[in-house]
Amino acid sequence: MTDLLPSGPASRWRLNDGNAIPCFGLGTFQTEPGSTTQQAVRWALGAGYRMVDTAALYHNEADVGAGVRASGIARDEVFVTTKMWHSEHGFESSQRAFRASLERLGLDTVDLYLIHWPTAPSPADRLASWQGLEKLKKDGLCRSIGVSNYSVRHLEEILADSGTVPAVNQVELHTFVYDPELHAFCTRHGIRLEAWAPLTRGKRFDDPTVVNVAGAHRRTPAQVLVRWGLQHGFVEIPKSVHQDRIRENAQVFDFALTASEMTALDDLRGGPRVGAGNPADIP
Ligand SMILES: NC(=O)c1ccc[n+]([C@@H]2O[C@H](COP(=O)([O-])OP(=O)(O)OC[C@H]3O[C@@H](n4cnc5c(N)ncnc54)[C@H](OP(=O)(O)O)[C@@H]3O)[C@@H](O)[C@H]2O)c1
């Protein structure tokens, strides 16, 4: 997959199913349902974002849908992702879970539907979920399908069983949790990596390498972390409920990290994770 560097938040990366995904969007994990979510979506779309990431788990799908509708921006210009929680693994439950999400969102289709975690009663249930997502795509209810928190082993399980390669794998991904092996595997199979916790949830903004690179470009640590992901071809979905931060996090398209800065940032990998759960531990 070779792509030109994106020129703005609405720039899209190609997906292996012929669709395209904005390179950048708004995360909404732990964004309060109700007016907080609706306002964050409105501010983000007003700042040029063209994608919102939600999940059944976040209890804010209805407000994401309301925010998208209220924006007045054409539906096909805004990319909406939601996810099936791991209590819903299985073919029938995946169908039910998707329809419930679609109803809460108040939309006709979802742009990307993800299996939130590979955690399932058994590999057979996990594969049945994937067959469920294939059906949803075939029925035209979601445009692209993918997975989240899948390790190479979980991805290989799908590849061995299914004719449909996930379009996306959304994983914890920032300079401190960067897995070149997973990256190479996904690149080889045309699976787009999407970065959750791209800002390390603010926990590593004081890292000296990040601070030095930020200083060299007169940018903030948040902007450097997002820019690093974009230059790797990842989809970046920083979350904020503050208008100034929503704007700040999107101001990443008018500077570039040098090759040596990218290497220095890559070399920060090795943890610790900021989120709970490690895909490698899931059987
Ligand atoms: N698939 C999965 O399992 C999974 C797991 C986790 C997350 N996600 C998705 O990925 C998205 C992003 O991940 P995340 O929310 O965990 O973490 P994140 O985007 O790395 O960080 C969000 C945190 O950083 C703060 N923040 C945002 N911009 C900032 C800035 N410019 N300066 C200082 N602090 C800033 C936010 O606070 P304020 O809101 O107060 O500004 C919030 O506390 C989620 O929202 C969700 O959509 C997916």
Side-chain angles (χ1 to χ4, degrees):
M1 261 183 290
T2 52
D3 291 284
L4 294 174
L5 275 172
S7 58
S11 294
R12 290 187 175 225
W13 297 130
R14 286 179 295 112
L15 295 177
N16 63 19
D17 60 5
N19 294 327
I21 185 170
C23 61
F24 179 88
L26 180 72
T28 65
F29 177 49
Q30 293 178 326
T31 300
E32 285 279 310
S35 59
T36 305
T37 296
Q38 292 189 27
Q39 185 171 259
V41 170
R42 191 166 62 246
W43 283 336
L45 295 175
Y49 290 54
R50 286 296 177 269
M51 177 164 62
V52 185
D53 180 87
T54 182
L57 177 76
Y58 306 167
H59 301 294
N60 57 19
E61 289 170 306
D63 302 298
V64 166
V68 168
R69 284 194 302 280
S71 72
I73 299 171
R75 172 67 188 94
D76 62 1
E77 285 181 34
V78 184
F79 192 103
V80 177
T81 301
T82 193
K83 314 182 194 87
M84 184 197 96
W85 189 234
H86 58 61
S87 53
E88 310 285 356
H89 271 292
F91 185 87
E92 293 303 335
S93 13
S94 69
Q95 309 301 290
R96 271 198 306 276
F98 176 84
R99 285 179 191 279
S101 280
L102 198 60
E103 193 163 316
R104 284 189 292 267
L105 284 160
L107 301 174
D108 296 330
T109 56
V110 163
D111 297 282
L112 176 64
Y113 195 49
L114 302 176
I115 296 176
H116 206 143
W117 280 88
T119 315
S122 72
D125 291 301
R126 190 156 57 215
L127 287 170
S129 302
W130 185 247
Q131 286 155 14
L133 266 61
E134 286 179 307
K135 169 132 178 41
L136 294 169
K137 180 168 162 56
K138 192 159 154 266
D139 291 348
L141 293 168
C142 55
R143 291 167 56 76
S144 293
I145 55 175
V147 294
S148 177
N149 300 302
Y150 272 46
S151 66
V152 167
R153 189 169 42 78
H154 300 121
L155 292 169
E156 280 173 337
E157 181 184 276
I158 291 186
L159 299 184
D161 187 72
S162 162
T164 313
V165 180
V168 166
N169 185 20
Q170 186 185 110
V171 293
E172 180 175 344
L173 176 53
H174 45 76
T175 56
F176 303 93
V177 178
Y178 168 51
D179 177 353
E181 190 204 336
L182 178 67
H183 186 189
F185 182 91
C186 288
T187 303
R188 209 158 51 242
H189 293 280
I191 302 168
R192 181 67 62 180
L193 275 175
E194 180 167 22
W196 67 254
L199 307 178
T200 70
R201 296 190 175 151
K203 290 182 180 163
R204 304 300 297 273
F205 285 171
D206 59 354
D207 175 87
T209 302
V210 176
V211 169
N212 280 341
V213 174
H217 292 275
R218 298 182 188 221
R219 298 291 167 144
T220 64
Q223 290 169 327
V224 164
L225 291 173
V226 171
R227 183 71 204 182
W228 172 85
L230 291 174
Q231 286 188 215
H232 268 309
F234 306 147
V235 177
E236 297 286 297
I237 46 168
K239 172 262 178 185
S240 181
V241 295
H242 295 100
Q243 190 171 22
D244 53 344
R245 291 176 173 179
I246 287 171
R247 287 189 180 134
E248 173 190 329
N249 297 341
Q251 283 160 7
V252 291
F253 297 94
D254 56 351
F255 75 106
L257 303 174
T258 64
S260 63
E261 288 168 339
M262 287 295 287
T263 304
L265 292 165
D266 287 355
D267 287 345
L268 297 176
R269 66 185 177 276
R273 293 178 173 270
V274 301
N278 183 344
D281 298 336
I282 298 171

